[in-house]
Protein backbone atom coordinates (compact mmCIF):
# COMPACT_ATOMS: atom_id res chain seq x y z
CA UNK A 1 0.00 0.00 0.00
CA UNK A 2 2.87 2.31 0.87
CA UNK A 3 4.49 1.42 -2.43
CA UNK A 4 1.33 2.34 -4.34
CA UNK A 5 1.33 5.78 -2.75
CA UNK A 6 4.75 6.43 -4.25
CA UNK A 7 3.67 5.46 -7.76
CA UNK A 8 2.31 7.86 -10.35
CA UNK A 9 -1.23 7.61 -11.71
CA UNK A 10 -0.14 5.79 -14.86
CA UNK A 11 1.61 3.06 -12.90
CA UNK A 12 -1.29 2.70 -10.46
CA UNK A 13 -3.84 2.32 -13.24
CA UNK A 14 -1.66 -0.11 -15.19
CA UNK A 15 -0.96 -2.29 -12.16
CA UNK A 16 -4.62 -2.33 -11.12
CA UNK A 17 -6.10 -3.05 -14.54
CA UNK A 18 -3.47 -5.58 -15.61
CA UNK A 19 -3.73 -7.37 -12.26
CA UNK A 20 -7.50 -7.70 -12.67
CA UNK A 21 -7.10 -8.87 -16.27
CA UNK A 22 -4.40 -11.37 -15.22
CA UNK A 23 -6.64 -12.78 -12.49
CA UNK A 24 -9.47 -13.08 -15.02
CA UNK A 25 -7.14 -14.84 -17.47
CA UNK A 26 -6.02 -17.27 -14.77
CA UNK A 27 -9.61 -18.10 -13.78
CA UNK A 28 -10.76 -18.45 -17.39
CA UNK A 29 -7.63 -20.41 -18.31
CA UNK A 30 -8.14 -22.83 -15.42
CA UNK A 31 -11.77 -23.38 -16.34
CA UNK A 32 -10.86 -23.84 -20.02
CA UNK A 33 -8.06 -26.26 -19.09
CA UNK A 34 -10.40 -28.37 -16.99
CA UNK A 35 -13.07 -28.27 -19.68
CA UNK A 36 -10.58 -29.13 -22.43
CA UNK A 37 -9.11 -31.96 -20.39
CA UNK A 38 -12.53 -33.48 -19.75
CA UNK A 39 -13.51 -33.01 -23.38
CA UNK A 40 -10.32 -34.53 -24.80
CA UNK A 41 -10.43 -37.39 -22.30
CA UNK A 42 -14.02 -38.15 -23.25
CA UNK A 43 -13.11 -37.88 -26.93
CA UNK A 44 -10.19 -40.27 -26.51
CA UNK A 45 -12.34 -42.72 -24.53
CA UNK A 46 -15.04 -42.66 -27.20
CA UNK A 47 -12.45 -43.07 -29.95
CA UNK A 48 -10.78 -46.01 -28.21
CA UNK A 49 -14.10 -47.74 -27.50
CA UNK A 50 -15.36 -47.17 -31.04
CA UNK A 51 -12.12 -48.58 -32.43
CA UNK A 52 -12.35 -51.68 -30.26
CA UNK A 53 -15.98 -52.28 -31.22
CA UNK A 54 -15.48 -51.57 -34.92
CA UNK A 55 -12.40 -53.75 -35.35
CA UNK A 56 -13.78 -56.60 -33.24
CA UNK A 57 -16.84 -56.59 -35.49
CA UNK A 58 -14.61 -56.52 -38.59
CA UNK A 59 -12.63 -59.52 -37.33
CA UNK A 60 -15.84 -61.29 -36.33
CA UNK A 61 -17.34 -60.75 -39.78
CA UNK A 62 -14.10 -61.88 -41.42
CA UNK A 63 -14.15 -65.09 -39.39
CA UNK A 64 -17.82 -65.65 -40.22
CA UNK A 65 -16.91 -65.47 -43.91
CA UNK A 66 -14.21 -68.09 -43.34
CA UNK A 67 -16.74 -70.29 -41.57
CA UNK A 68 -19.21 -69.79 -44.41
CA UNK A 69 -16.52 -70.83 -46.90
CA UNK A 70 -15.55 -74.05 -45.11
CA UNK A 71 -19.22 -74.84 -44.50
CA UNK A 72 -19.95 -74.41 -48.20
CA UNK A 73 -16.99 -76.55 -49.22
CA UNK A 74 -17.93 -79.20 -46.65
CA UNK A 75 -21.38 -79.46 -48.24
CA UNK A 76 -20.23 -80.05 -51.80
CA UNK A 77 -21.05 -83.41 -53.34
CA UNK A 78 -17.46 -84.48 -53.92
CA UNK A 79 -16.46 -83.77 -50.33
CA UNK A 80 -19.54 -85.48 -48.92
CA UNK A 81 -18.67 -88.62 -50.85
CA UNK A 82 -15.43 -88.72 -48.83
CA UNK A 83 -13.54 -90.11 -51.82
CA UNK A 84 -10.04 -88.84 -51.07
CA UNK A 85 -8.80 -89.30 -54.62
CA UNK A 86 -11.60 -87.10 -55.92
CA UNK A 87 -11.30 -84.62 -53.07
CA UNK A 88 -7.56 -83.88 -53.45
CA UNK A 89 -7.76 -81.99 -56.80
CA UNK A 90 -10.59 -79.90 -55.35
CA UNK A 91 -8.52 -79.07 -52.26
CA UNK A 92 -5.65 -77.88 -54.44
CA UNK A 93 -8.00 -75.81 -56.60
CA UNK A 94 -9.80 -74.15 -53.73
CA UNK A 95 -6.57 -73.55 -51.83
CA UNK A 96 -5.14 -71.75 -54.86
CA UNK A 97 -8.34 -69.74 -55.15
CA UNK A 98 -8.40 -68.83 -51.45
CA UNK A 99 -4.69 -68.77 -50.62
CA UNK A 100 -5.05 -65.09 -49.68
CA UNK A 101 -6.91 -66.27 -46.57
CA UNK A 102 -5.69 -69.80 -45.85
CA UNK A 103 -2.30 -71.35 -45.31
CA UNK A 104 -3.85 -74.63 -46.41
CA UNK A 105 -7.13 -76.54 -46.64
CA UNK A 106 -7.80 -80.12 -45.57
CA UNK A 107 -10.37 -82.87 -45.20
CA UNK A 108 -10.25 -85.00 -42.06
CA UNK A 109 -11.65 -88.51 -41.82
CA UNK A 110 -13.47 -89.69 -38.68
CA UNK A 111 -10.28 -91.32 -37.35
CA UNK A 112 -8.47 -87.97 -37.53
CA UNK A 113 -6.50 -88.67 -40.66
CA UNK A 114 -6.07 -85.30 -42.32
CA UNK A 115 -5.57 -84.90 -46.08
CA UNK A 116 -3.94 -81.55 -46.83
CA UNK A 117 -4.15 -79.41 -49.94
CA UNK A 118 -0.35 -79.73 -50.09
CA UNK A 119 -0.72 -83.47 -50.68
CA UNK A 120 0.56 -84.41 -47.24
CA UNK A 121 -1.31 -86.16 -44.43
CA UNK A 122 -1.25 -86.01 -40.65
CA UNK A 123 -3.55 -86.79 -37.77
CA UNK A 124 -5.55 -84.31 -35.71
CA UNK A 125 -7.42 -86.67 -33.40
CA UNK A 126 -5.92 -84.90 -30.41
CA UNK A 127 -7.21 -81.50 -31.49
CA UNK A 128 -10.18 -80.26 -29.47
CA UNK A 129 -11.61 -78.35 -32.41
CA UNK A 130 -11.67 -81.62 -34.45
CA UNK A 131 -13.61 -83.38 -31.74
CA UNK A 132 -16.12 -80.51 -31.63
CA UNK A 133 -16.50 -80.62 -35.42
CA UNK A 134 -17.11 -84.38 -35.31
CA UNK A 135 -19.79 -83.59 -32.73
CA UNK A 136 -21.50 -81.45 -35.38
CA UNK A 137 -20.22 -77.98 -34.47
CA UNK A 138 -18.91 -75.39 -36.90
CA UNK A 139 -16.27 -73.22 -35.20
CA UNK A 140 -13.06 -71.24 -35.30
CA UNK A 141 -10.50 -72.81 -33.02
CA UNK A 142 -8.31 -71.15 -30.45
CA UNK A 143 -4.70 -70.74 -31.60
CA UNK A 144 -2.55 -73.85 -31.97
CA UNK A 145 0.78 -74.67 -33.57
CA UNK A 146 0.30 -76.25 -36.98
CA UNK A 147 1.46 -79.87 -37.19
CA UNK A 148 2.09 -79.37 -40.89
CA UNK A 149 4.07 -76.09 -40.86
CA UNK A 150 4.89 -75.34 -37.22
CA UNK A 151 3.30 -71.90 -37.54
CA UNK A 152 0.79 -70.45 -35.03
CA UNK A 153 -2.63 -70.92 -36.61
CA UNK A 154 -6.36 -70.89 -36.02
CA UNK A 155 -8.64 -73.30 -37.84
CA UNK A 156 -12.04 -72.65 -39.34
CA UNK A 157 -13.66 -76.09 -39.39
CA UNK A 158 -17.08 -77.48 -40.32
CA UNK A 159 -18.50 -81.01 -40.10
CA UNK A 160 -19.03 -83.03 -43.26
CA UNK A 161 -22.39 -84.76 -43.21
CA UNK A 162 -23.90 -87.43 -45.41
CA UNK A 163 -27.43 -87.39 -46.75
CA UNK A 164 -28.72 -88.79 -43.47
CA UNK A 165 -27.12 -85.90 -41.52
CA UNK A 166 -24.48 -88.09 -39.95
CA UNK A 167 -21.06 -86.53 -39.43
CA UNK A 168 -18.59 -88.44 -41.57
CA UNK A 169 -15.62 -86.07 -41.44
CA UNK A 170 -14.55 -82.44 -41.20
CA UNK A 171 -13.45 -79.76 -43.63
CA UNK A 172 -10.89 -77.26 -42.28
CA UNK A 173 -9.21 -74.09 -43.39
CA UNK A 174 -5.95 -73.12 -41.66
CA UNK A 175 -5.60 -69.38 -41.01
CA UNK A 176 -2.24 -67.95 -40.03
CA UNK A 177 -2.27 -65.85 -36.86
CA UNK A 178 -0.22 -63.35 -38.87
CA UNK A 179 -3.37 -62.68 -40.89
CA UNK A 180 -5.24 -61.77 -37.72
CA UNK A 181 -2.19 -59.84 -36.51
CA UNK A 182 -2.34 -57.61 -39.59
CA UNK A 183 -6.00 -56.89 -38.92
CA UNK A 184 -5.39 -56.04 -35.28
CA UNK A 185 -2.29 -53.95 -36.05
CA UNK A 186 -4.42 -51.71 -38.27
CA UNK A 187 -5.80 -50.17 -35.07
CA UNK A 188 -3.76 -47.08 -34.24
CA UNK A 189 -4.62 -44.58 -31.53
CA UNK A 190 -2.48 -41.67 -30.43
CA UNK A 191 1.27 -41.87 -30.92
CA UNK A 192 1.99 -45.17 -29.19
CA UNK A 193 -1.44 -46.70 -28.65
CA UNK A 194 -2.10 -50.17 -30.05
CA UNK A 195 -4.53 -53.08 -30.02
CA UNK A 196 -4.10 -56.69 -28.95
CA UNK A 197 -6.33 -59.74 -28.78
CA UNK A 198 -6.76 -62.40 -26.12
CA UNK A 199 -8.52 -65.71 -26.31
CA UNK A 200 -11.23 -66.46 -23.78
CA UNK A 201 -8.93 -67.91 -21.12
CA UNK A 202 -6.67 -64.84 -21.25
CA UNK A 203 -3.85 -66.26 -23.38
CA UNK A 204 -2.43 -63.64 -25.74
CA UNK A 205 -3.48 -64.33 -29.32
CA UNK A 206 -2.22 -61.19 -31.07
CA UNK A 207 0.15 -58.55 -29.68
CA UNK A 208 2.76 -56.10 -31.07
CA UNK A 209 5.35 -57.89 -28.94
CA UNK A 210 5.77 -61.29 -30.61
CA UNK A 211 7.17 -62.70 -27.35
CA UNK A 212 3.68 -62.43 -25.87
CA UNK A 213 1.90 -64.44 -28.57
CA UNK A 214 0.63 -67.81 -27.23
CA UNK A 215 2.86 -67.35 -24.17
CA UNK A 216 1.70 -64.53 -21.91
CA UNK A 217 -1.53 -64.74 -19.93
CA UNK A 218 -2.18 -61.62 -17.86
CA UNK A 219 -5.16 -63.25 -16.15
CA UNK A 220 -2.84 -65.78 -14.55
CA UNK A 221 0.08 -63.52 -13.64
CA UNK A 222 0.35 -62.47 -10.00
CA UNK A 223 1.76 -59.00 -10.71
CA UNK A 224 -1.02 -57.92 -13.08
CA UNK A 225 -2.50 -54.58 -11.99
CA UNK A 226 -5.80 -55.11 -10.17
CA UNK A 227 -7.67 -52.67 -12.41
CA UNK A 228 -6.28 -54.29 -15.55
CA UNK A 229 -7.16 -57.71 -14.18
CA UNK A 230 -10.73 -56.56 -13.59
CA UNK A 231 -11.08 -55.25 -17.15
CA UNK A 232 -9.50 -58.34 -18.72
CA UNK A 233 -11.84 -60.52 -16.68
CA UNK A 234 -14.82 -58.58 -18.01
CA UNK A 235 -13.39 -58.86 -21.52
CA UNK A 236 -13.04 -62.65 -21.17
CA UNK A 237 -16.74 -62.76 -20.32
CA UNK A 238 -17.59 -61.17 -23.66
CA UNK A 239 -18.37 -57.71 -22.27
CA UNK A 240 -17.65 -54.29 -23.77
CA UNK A 241 -16.17 -51.49 -21.69
CA UNK A 242 -13.30 -49.18 -20.87
CA UNK A 243 -11.25 -48.08 -17.89
CA UNK A 244 -7.80 -47.20 -16.60
CA UNK A 245 -4.90 -49.17 -15.17
CA UNK A 246 -1.21 -48.83 -14.32
CA UNK A 247 1.55 -50.38 -16.39
CA UNK A 248 5.20 -49.84 -15.37
CA UNK A 249 4.13 -46.81 -13.37
CA UNK A 250 2.27 -45.16 -16.26
CA UNK A 251 -1.50 -44.80 -16.35
CA UNK A 252 -3.14 -46.25 -19.44
CA UNK A 253 -6.60 -46.24 -20.96
CA UNK A 254 -8.06 -49.56 -22.09
CA UNK A 255 -11.19 -50.24 -24.12
CA UNK A 256 -12.37 -53.68 -25.15
CA UNK A 257 -15.03 -55.51 -27.13
CA UNK A 258 -15.73 -59.18 -27.90
CA UNK A 259 -15.16 -61.14 -31.09
CA UNK A 260 -18.45 -62.99 -30.69
CA UNK A 261 -17.82 -65.88 -33.04
CA UNK A 262 -14.86 -67.12 -31.01
CA UNK A 263 -15.28 -65.53 -27.58
CA UNK A 264 -11.98 -63.70 -28.02
CA UNK A 265 -11.58 -60.15 -26.80
CA UNK A 266 -10.01 -57.20 -28.64
CA UNK A 267 -8.42 -54.53 -26.44
CA UNK A 268 -7.22 -51.06 -27.41
CA UNK A 269 -4.82 -49.27 -25.06
CA UNK A 270 -3.10 -45.86 -25.01
CA UNK A 271 -1.07 -44.02 -22.34
CA UNK A 272 -3.05 -41.22 -20.71
CA UNK A 273 0.08 -39.04 -20.86
CA UNK A 274 -0.60 -38.71 -24.58
CA UNK A 275 -4.00 -37.22 -23.74
CA UNK A 276 -2.36 -34.94 -21.19
CA UNK A 277 0.33 -33.99 -23.71
CA UNK A 278 -2.36 -32.67 -26.06
CA UNK A 279 -3.97 -30.78 -23.21
CA UNK A 280 -0.63 -29.40 -22.02
CA UNK A 281 0.16 -28.24 -25.54
CA UNK A 282 -3.22 -26.52 -25.65
CA UNK A 283 -2.56 -24.94 -22.25
CA UNK A 284 0.88 -23.77 -23.38
CA UNK A 285 -0.56 -22.20 -26.52
CA UNK A 286 -3.28 -20.56 -24.45
CA UNK A 287 -0.64 -19.23 -22.05
CA UNK A 288 1.37 -17.75 -24.91
CA UNK A 289 -1.73 -16.16 -26.44
CA UNK A 290 -2.79 -14.85 -23.02
CA UNK A 291 0.64 -13.34 -22.34
CA UNK A 292 0.64 -11.74 -25.79
CA UNK A 293 -2.84 -10.32 -25.22
CA UNK A 294 -1.77 -9.02 -21.80
CA UNK A 295 1.28 -7.37 -23.35
CA UNK A 296 -0.78 -5.75 -26.11
CA UNK A 297 -3.38 -4.65 -23.57
CA UNK A 298 -0.60 -3.15 -21.43
CA UNK A 299 0.73 -1.18 -24.39
CA UNK A 300 -2.77 0.02 -25.33
CA UNK A 301 -3.53 0.99 -21.75
CA UNK A 302 -0.22 2.79 -21.40
CA UNK A 303 -0.94 4.77 -24.56
CA UNK A 304 -4.50 5.61 -23.48
CA UNK A 305 -3.45 6.56 -19.97
CA UNK A 306 -0.69 8.77 -21.38
CA UNK A 307 -3.26 10.58 -23.51
CA UNK A 308 -5.59 10.96 -20.53
CA UNK A 309 -3.03 12.23 -18.06
CA UNK A 310 -1.16 14.51 -20.48
CA UNK A 311 -3.44 17.46 -19.58
CA UNK A 312 -2.92 16.64 -15.90
CA UNK A 313 0.84 16.70 -16.38
CA UNK A 314 0.52 20.05 -18.13
CA UNK A 315 -1.75 21.25 -15.33
CA UNK A 316 0.80 20.15 -12.75
CA UNK A 317 3.61 22.01 -14.58
CA UNK A 318 1.58 25.21 -14.84
CA UNK A 319 0.53 24.99 -11.19
CA UNK A 320 4.20 24.74 -10.18
CA UNK A 321 4.97 27.94 -12.13
CA UNK A 322 1.98 29.68 -10.59
CA UNK A 323 3.13 28.56 -7.17
CA UNK A 324 6.43 30.28 -7.99
CA UNK A 325 4.53 33.49 -8.77
CA UNK A 326 4.24 33.29 -12.57
CA UNK A 327 0.56 34.02 -13.33
CA UNK A 328 1.10 34.39 -17.07
CA UNK A 329 0.88 30.60 -17.79
CA UNK A 330 -2.25 28.83 -19.00
CA UNK A 331 -3.15 25.17 -19.51
CA UNK A 332 -3.83 24.10 -23.09
CA UNK A 333 -7.36 22.67 -23.39
CA UNK A 334 -7.82 19.95 -26.04
CA UNK A 335 -10.95 18.13 -24.88
CA UNK A 336 -14.39 18.63 -23.39
CA UNK A 337 -14.22 15.75 -20.96
CA UNK A 338 -13.73 15.99 -17.21
CA UNK A 339 -10.00 16.64 -17.57
CA UNK A 340 -10.71 19.35 -20.17
CA UNK A 341 -13.27 20.96 -17.87
CA UNK A 342 -10.77 20.86 -15.04
CA UNK A 343 -8.21 22.63 -17.25
CA UNK A 344 -10.77 25.26 -18.25
CA UNK A 345 -11.72 25.86 -14.61
CA UNK A 346 -8.03 26.04 -13.70
CA UNK A 347 -7.46 28.69 -16.38
CA UNK A 348 -10.47 30.64 -15.07
CA UNK A 349 -9.06 30.40 -11.57
CA UNK A 350 -5.68 31.68 -12.79
CA UNK A 351 -7.41 34.56 -14.61
CA UNK A 352 -9.35 35.42 -11.45
CA UNK A 353 -6.21 35.15 -9.39
CA UNK A 354 -4.37 37.37 -11.84
CA UNK A 355 -7.19 39.94 -11.67
CA UNK A 356 -7.18 39.78 -7.90
CA UNK A 357 -3.43 40.35 -7.82
CA UNK A 358 -3.83 43.28 -10.20
CA UNK A 359 -6.55 44.76 -7.97
CA UNK A 360 -4.36 44.34 -4.94
CA UNK A 361 -1.46 46.02 -6.77
CA UNK A 362 -3.71 48.96 -7.75
CA UNK A 363 -5.01 49.31 -4.22
CA UNK A 364 -1.46 49.18 -2.90
CA UNK A 365 -0.49 52.09 -5.16
CA UNK A 366 -3.56 54.04 -4.05
CA UNK A 367 -2.77 53.40 -0.40
CA UNK A 368 0.80 54.50 -0.99
CA UNK A 369 -0.42 57.73 -2.66
CA UNK A 370 -2.83 58.42 0.17
CA UNK A 371 -0.11 57.80 2.69
CA UNK A 372 2.12 60.30 0.88
CA UNK A 373 -0.63 62.91 0.90
CA UNK A 374 -1.21 62.37 4.59
CA UNK A 375 2.48 62.74 5.26
CA UNK A 376 2.55 66.08 3.32
CA UNK A 377 -0.48 67.35 5.19
CA UNK A 378 1.09 66.41 8.49
CA UNK A 379 4.27 68.26 7.53
CA UNK A 380 2.31 71.40 6.62
CA UNK A 381 0.38 71.18 9.87
CA UNK A 382 3.64 70.93 11.79
CA UNK A 383 5.01 74.03 10.03
CA UNK A 384 1.82 75.99 10.79
CA UNK A 385 1.93 74.98 14.41
CA UNK A 386 5.53 76.10 14.61
CA UNK A 387 4.63 79.48 13.18
CA UNK A 388 1.75 79.88 15.65
CA UNK A 389 4.11 79.07 18.46
CA UNK A 390 6.59 81.69 17.30
CA UNK A 391 3.81 84.27 16.97
CA UNK A 392 2.54 83.52 20.44
CA UNK A 393 6.09 83.84 21.80
CA UNK A 394 6.53 87.18 20.24
CA UNK A 395 3.16 88.31 21.57
CA UNK A 396 4.02 87.27 25.04
CA UNK A 397 7.39 89.05 24.88
CA UNK A 398 5.70 92.34 23.76
CA UNK A 399 3.19 92.15 26.58
CA UNK A 400 5.93 91.84 29.07
CA UNK A 401 7.74 94.90 27.83
CA UNK A 402 4.59 97.06 28.06
CA UNK A 403 4.20 96.03 31.63
Amino acid sequence: MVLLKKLNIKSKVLITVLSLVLISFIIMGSLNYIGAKNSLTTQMEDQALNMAQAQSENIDNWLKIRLAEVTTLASTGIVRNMDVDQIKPGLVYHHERLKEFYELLYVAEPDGTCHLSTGETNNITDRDYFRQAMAGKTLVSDPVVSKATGNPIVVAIAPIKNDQGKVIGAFGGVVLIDTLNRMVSEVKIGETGYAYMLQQDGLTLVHPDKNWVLKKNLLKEADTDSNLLEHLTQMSKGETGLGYYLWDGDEKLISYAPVKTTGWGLAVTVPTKEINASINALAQNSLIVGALCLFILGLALSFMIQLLIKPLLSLNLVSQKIAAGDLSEKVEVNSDDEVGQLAQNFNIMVDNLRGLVEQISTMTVQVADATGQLAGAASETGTAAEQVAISMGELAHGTANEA
Side-chain angles (χ1 to χ4, degrees):
M1 198 69 182
V2 176
L3 181 61
L4 284 176
K5 289 182 179 180
K6 297 180 180 180
L7 297 176
N8 56 34
I9 293 176
K10 180 179 179 180
S11 298
K12 290 178 180 178
V13 174
L14 278 175
I15 290 174
T16 302
V17 174
L18 292 181
S19 296
L20 292 174
V21 172
L22 180 60
I23 292 172
S24 299
F25 275 178
I26 291 174
I27 294 174
M28 291 177 62
S30 299
L31 293 175
N32 288 337
Y33 178 83
I34 294 172
K37 182 176 182 179
N38 292 336
S39 177
L40 286 176
T41 300
T42 300
Q43 181 179 348
M44 185 67 80
E45 289 176 347
D46 291 343
Q47 182 184 4
L49 186 58
N50 289 338
M51 282 184 171
Q53 290 177 314
Q55 197 63 358
S56 65
E57 289 178 4
N58 288 340
I59 293 173
D60 190 60
N61 290 333
W62 189 87
L63 291 174
K64 285 179 178 177
I65 294 173
R66 306 287 80 78
L67 287 176
E69 288 169 347
V70 296
T71 300
T72 300
L73 291 173
S75 63
T76 59
I78 294 177
V79 172
R80 291 173 65 193
N81 288 334
M82 289 301 290
D83 185 332
V84 175
D85 291 334
Q86 292 184 359
I87 291 174
K88 284 182 178 180
L91 283 176
V92 174
Y93 168 76
H94 289 299
H95 182 214
E96 182 64 24
R97 181 174 64 87
L98 299 172
K99 63 181 179 181
E100 175 185 355
F101 309 112
Y102 300 100
E103 184 182 34
L104 54 85
L105 300 175
Y106 65 79
V107 170
E109 298 184 52
D111 62 358
T113 301
C114 188
H115 303 279
L116 308 179
S117 56
T118 59
E120 300 173 353
T121 60
N122 59 29
N123 194 287
I124 57 172
T125 308
D126 59 333
R127 299 296 200 189
D128 180 66
Y129 62 82
F130 173 70
R131 290 193 289 270
Q132 292 188 60
M134 292 304 296
K137 185 176 181 180
T138 300
L139 72 149
V140 175
S141 73
D142 282 335
V144 294
V145 176
S146 173
K147 291 184 176 182
T149 64
N151 295 322
I153 61 169
V154 294
V155 178
I157 190 168
I160 301 171
K161 298 179 181 180
N162 60 19
D163 293 339
Q164 290 73 41
K166 180 182 177 180
V167 177
I168 56 175
F171 192 101
V174 175
V175 179
L176 286 170
I177 287 184
D178 286 345
T179 304
L180 296 174
N181 186 63
R182 286 194 298 271
M183 298 178 70
V184 174
S185 64
E186 291 174 358
V187 179
K188 300 291 184 183
I189 182 170
E191 294 293 328
T192 60
Y194 59 87
Y196 59 92
M197 193 157 58
L198 307 181
Q199 61 185 48
Q200 200 162 13
D201 62 1
L203 184 65
T204 303
L205 173 58
V206 175
H207 196 278
D209 187 347
K210 301 300 182 183
N211 294 325
W212 282 42
V213 177
L214 301 184
K215 296 177 183 178
K216 200 172 187 67
N217 191 327
L218 293 174
L219 287 178
K220 297 180 179 180
E221 295 190 4
D223 59 348
T224 301
D225 177 76
S226 59
N227 290 327
L228 177 58
L229 184 61
E230 179 183 351
H231 294 304
L232 294 182
T233 301
Q234 297 300 319
M235 185 170 70
S236 69
K237 295 178 180 178
E239 296 186 11
T240 299
L242 60 85
Y244 295 87
Y245 66 97
L246 290 178
W247 187 265
D248 291 338
D250 293 328
E251 185 181 54
K252 285 191 168 186
L253 167 67
I254 182 174
S255 63
Y256 47 91
V259 179
K260 296 178 180 179
T261 298
T262 58
W264 302 337
L266 178 73
V268 176
T269 184
V270 61
T272 56
K273 64 183 179 183
E274 291 192 14
I275 306 174
N276 295 332
S278 300
I279 299 171
N280 291 337
L282 178 62
Q284 184 177 4
N285 292 336
S286 298
L287 184 62
I288 293 173
V289 172
L292 183 61
C293 290
L294 196 64
F295 176 73
I296 295 173
L297 178 62
L299 291 178
L301 276 174
S302 179
F303 178 74
M304 290 299 298
I305 294 171
Q306 188 65 34
L307 288 179
L308 291 173
I309 67 173
K310 184 177 180 180
L312 294 178
L313 296 175
S314 177
L315 185 62
N316 180 54
L317 181 61
V318 172
S319 65
Q320 290 176 356
K321 293 182 178 180
I322 291 174
D326 184 1
L327 298 177
S328 63
E329 294 289 336
K330 278 192 174 184
V331 180
E332 184 179 353
V333 180
N334 295 319
S335 66
D336 294 327
D337 57 13
E338 290 81 355
V339 177
Q341 293 173 6
L342 175 62
Q344 291 176 358
N345 293 333
F346 185 84
N347 287 335
I348 293 172
M349 181 190 72
V350 173
D351 290 339
N352 292 337
L353 183 59
R354 187 185 301 113
L356 180 60
V357 170
E358 290 175 353
Q359 290 178 7
I360 292 174
S361 298
T362 302
M363 291 177 63
T364 300
V365 172
Q366 291 175 350
V367 169
D369 292 341
T371 301
Q373 293 175 359
L374 289 175
S379 176
E380 292 176 355
T381 300
T383 301
E386 183 180 349
Q387 291 177 351
V388 171
I390 294 173
S391 298
M392 289 185 67
E394 292 177 350
L395 181 60
H397 180 73
T399 302
N401 288 335
E402 287 179 359

